[in-house]
């Protein structure tokens, strides 16, 4: 943990680390997802590669049961074989398509933190 920053926000301790999000000793990992939770790009691919196919399978079931997720919403699956017990999937804004990408990004972060709180998860990467 060579590169990090530490701060406080709203009663929470916030630490920014440089490293592999799939290997953090936290209760939940937040995944920047697409609307249909197909984890075939970027961080999502790494999460499924490390955590196992069960994360994609649970994501597929979530979409079948609930429909696609919209920006500012969150879906929660288990973490499979990750150190984290859960993955919180959120759709952030597409900055080239969003009318107010900053607001959509803020709502996605709030949705991820609300999902962590609702599931009793105290540490999130």
């Amino acid at each position: 943990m060579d590169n990090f920053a530490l701060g406080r926000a709203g009663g929470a301790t916030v630490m920014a680390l440089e490293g592999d999000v799939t290997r953090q000793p936290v209760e939940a990992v937040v995944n920047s997802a697409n609307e249909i939770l197909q984890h075939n790009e970027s961080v999502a691919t790494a999460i499924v590669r490390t955590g196992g196919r069960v994360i994609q399978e649970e994501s597929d079931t979530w979409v079948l049961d609930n429909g696609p997720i919209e920006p500012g919403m969150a879906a929660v699956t288990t973490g499979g074989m990750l150190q984290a017990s859960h993955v919180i999937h959120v759709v952030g804004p597409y900055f080239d398509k969003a009318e107010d990408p900053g607001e959509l990004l803020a709502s996605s972060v709030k949705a991820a933190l609300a999902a962590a709180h609702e599931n009793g998860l105290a540490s999130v990467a």
Side-chain angles (χ1 to χ4, degrees), residues 31-41 69 90-91 94:
N31 173 34
S32 173
N34 57 44
E35 292 87 350
I36 56 172
L37 300 180
Q38 290 301 300
H39 309 308
N40 52 12
E41 294 182 41
I69 62 173
V90 294
V91 175
Y94 297 100

Side-chain angles (χ1 to χ4, degrees), residues 21-30 47 50-51 54-55 77-88 121 123-125:
V21 71
T22 67
R23 305 221 184 267
Q24 297 304 314
V26 294
E27 294 176 295
V29 169
V30 177
I47 288 171
T50 303
V54 67
I55 297 170
T77 64
T78 68
M81 296 180 294
L82 295 174
Q83 288 186 34
S85 60
H86 292 78
V87 178
I88 301 170
L121 306 169
S123 56
V124 178

Side-chain angles (χ1 to χ4, degrees), residues 72-74 90 103-118:
M73 294 176 60
V90 294
E103 180 58 36
L104 284 174
L105 180 59
S107 69
S108 295
V109 171
K110 289 175 187 174
L113 294 175
H117 178 74
E118 291 165 7

Side-chain angles (χ1 to χ4, degrees), residues 33-38 58-71 73-76 89 91:
N34 57 44
E35 292 87 350
I36 56 172
L37 300 180
Q38 290 301 300
E58 290 178 13
S59 296
D60 293 342
T61 299
W62 195 97
V63 171
L64 283 174
D65 292 346
N66 301 285
I69 62 173
E70 298 294 324
M73 294 176 60
V76 180
H89 309 272
V91 175

